[in-house]
Amino acid sequence: MLSDISLQNPNIVRMLYWQLGITVGFAVIAGFISGEHGAVSATLGGLTNVFASLIYVFVANFGLRHSNGTGLWSILRAEIVKLVFIAVQLGVILKFYDALVIPALFTTFLVTLLAWRAALFTSAGNKLNN
């Protein structure tokens, strides 16, 4: 199961599509509610998790390939890198985007973060049922 962390895995790709779809949907909603800056803020919030998820996949895949697919440390390292990457992205956004709409950013951020976990549990449930 650990060796399945790559962009070749359809569950990982589905998770990324969920995050992108949620980002677009929330950007449209935030655009109607708060205008252009709301849409941009929601997009930044969602893309923060999309990019962090991609980083996670690449770091985990790299670590697993070099540990013969058995390294739990590779997964932990990928999660730490992902969290640091999220913190840096959010810090840059908060510092440099003056017209930021905070509710749009964090709502989209949290929903895309939860979507990653929900898709993970859905794919795990599908494996148990098969």
Side-chain angles (χ1 to χ4, degrees):
M1 172 151 178
L2 288 179
S3 61
D4 289 349
I5 299 176
S6 74
L7 291 178
Q8 306 301 317
N9 183 336
N11 293 326
I12 300 286
V13 173
R14 183 178 344 112
M15 289 181 224
L16 290 167
Y17 279 135
W18 279 21
Q19 287 182 324
L20 286 170
I22 290 167
T23 299
V24 169
F26 274 67
V28 169
I29 293 168
F32 281 126
I33 294 172
S34 301
E36 177 185 345
H37 295 294
V40 171
S41 297
T43 301
L44 290 172
L47 288 180
T48 297
N49 276 320
V50 171
F51 292 141
S53 297
L54 286 170
I55 292 291
Y56 172 84
V57 169
F58 290 129
V59 171
N61 191 7
F62 180 80
L64 290 171
R65 278 189 288 130
H66 289 81
S67 67
N68 298 325
T70 60
L72 207 47
W73 173 243
S74 301
I75 303 300
L76 179 60
R77 182 177 359 169
E79 193 65 38
I80 291 169
V81 169
K82 177 182 173 181
L83 292 173
V84 169
F85 192 72
I86 287 172
V88 169
Q89 286 182 101
L90 289 176
V92 168
I93 292 167
L94 291 170
K95 179 159 179 67
F96 292 108
Y97 188 30
D98 294 329
L100 186 67
V101 179
I102 299 285
L105 173 91
F106 283 110
T107 300
T108 309
F109 173 78
L110 290 174
V111 173
T112 54
L113 182 66
L114 293 174
W116 177 263
R117 302 297 180 217
L120 184 66
F121 290 133
T122 301
S123 65
N126 288 341
K127 284 185 180 183
L128 291 176
N129 291 332
N130 291 331

